[in-house]
Amino acid sequence: MSEDWKKDRFGAIERNENPMVLTRMKSGYAVIGDTQFLPGYCVLLAYPKVNSLEDLSLEAKTDFLRDMSLLGEAVQSVCNPRRMNYSIYGNSDEFLHAHVFPRYDWEPEERKPYPVWKYPREMWVMPAVQYCDEKHLSLRQQITEKLTALIAKDYNFD
């Protein structure tokens, strides 16, 4: 599969060509992360696209943060990590998105107390940990199934 969609992830979503989309949520799209060195890593992309959390109305902020927590709850349920980490930056990609990282007991001790961004760059780009259906489709399906159930329970979504 071509990776041209990565050049315009939002356009690819609109064209139904972004293969990483788990599901549509009230505030945007839940996607599985391009890298899976921490299995279950996901991202919530605000949609419509905005620059930052401060650009949203109070209701839209609430929806975004609730959706972020629902995505984390789905990952927690499926992956059973020791803890979930959530982060919103926007320094590299200047649009609102939230990272949802499961953190595991099996991680190296020297990595556990620090944010995932302290992992070496190689961990983010190694071919062995990049998302691929052969390795990660079952995980993706489980997260999507759990997230869909949580959405149905938490809010009435059209």
Side-chain angles (χ1 to χ4, degrees):
M1 169 189 359
S2 167
E3 293 195 356
D4 287 345
W5 63 270
K6 286 184 178 180
K7 295 175 188 168
D8 180 15
R9 291 175 189 264
F10 286 96
I13 286 171
E14 291 167 348
R15 294 185 305 276
N16 201 29
E17 296 173 357
N18 186 326
M20 307 304 273
V21 173
L22 300 172
T23 192
R24 174 78 161 96
M25 300 184 79
K26 264 188 185 177
S27 68
Y29 289 90
V31 301
I32 194 160
D34 292 353
T35 185
Q36 290 293 307
F37 70 88
L38 294 172
Y41 165 53
C42 291
V43 180
L44 176 62
L45 303 172
Y47 193 85
K49 190 175 176 181
V50 296
N51 188 52
S52 68
L53 193 61
E54 296 77 24
D55 293 337
L56 299 175
S57 69
L58 181 57
E59 181 180 356
K61 284 178 195 174
T62 301
D63 287 341
F64 185 81
L65 295 172
R66 177 187 299 142
D67 286 351
M68 181 184 69
S69 72
L70 290 173
L71 180 55
E73 189 175 340
V75 172
Q76 172 78 39
S77 177
V78 171
C79 299
N80 198 30
R82 69 178 172 87
R83 151 162 230 93
M84 293 299 302
N85 286 178
Y86 302 86
S87 58
I88 300 172
Y89 296 107
N91 299 327
S92 299
D93 295 318
E94 294 184 10
F95 54 84
L96 178 58
H97 61 287
H99 300 270
V100 177
F101 281 103
R103 301 301 302 265
Y104 295 97
D105 287 329
W106 50 258
E107 290 180 65
E109 287 301 320
E110 68 273 12
R111 300 283 177 217
K112 286 183 183 180
Y114 300 105
V116 296
W117 311 115
K118 293 284 191 171
Y119 270 92
R121 170 112 174 98
E122 310 82 72
M123 293 301 295
W124 297 90
V125 297
M126 285 187 336
V129 296
Q130 297 307 300
Y131 176 89
C132 69
D133 281 347
E134 293 78 24
K135 292 181 185 174
H136 305 107
L137 182 60
S138 176
L139 173 64
R140 176 191 174 141
Q141 289 170 333
Q142 291 174 60
I143 293 170
T144 302
E145 183 178 305
K146 183 62 179 178
L147 183 56
T148 302
L150 289 168
I151 289 169
K153 180 181 169 189
D154 193 72
Y155 56 76
N156 189 8
F157 182 67
D158 299 325

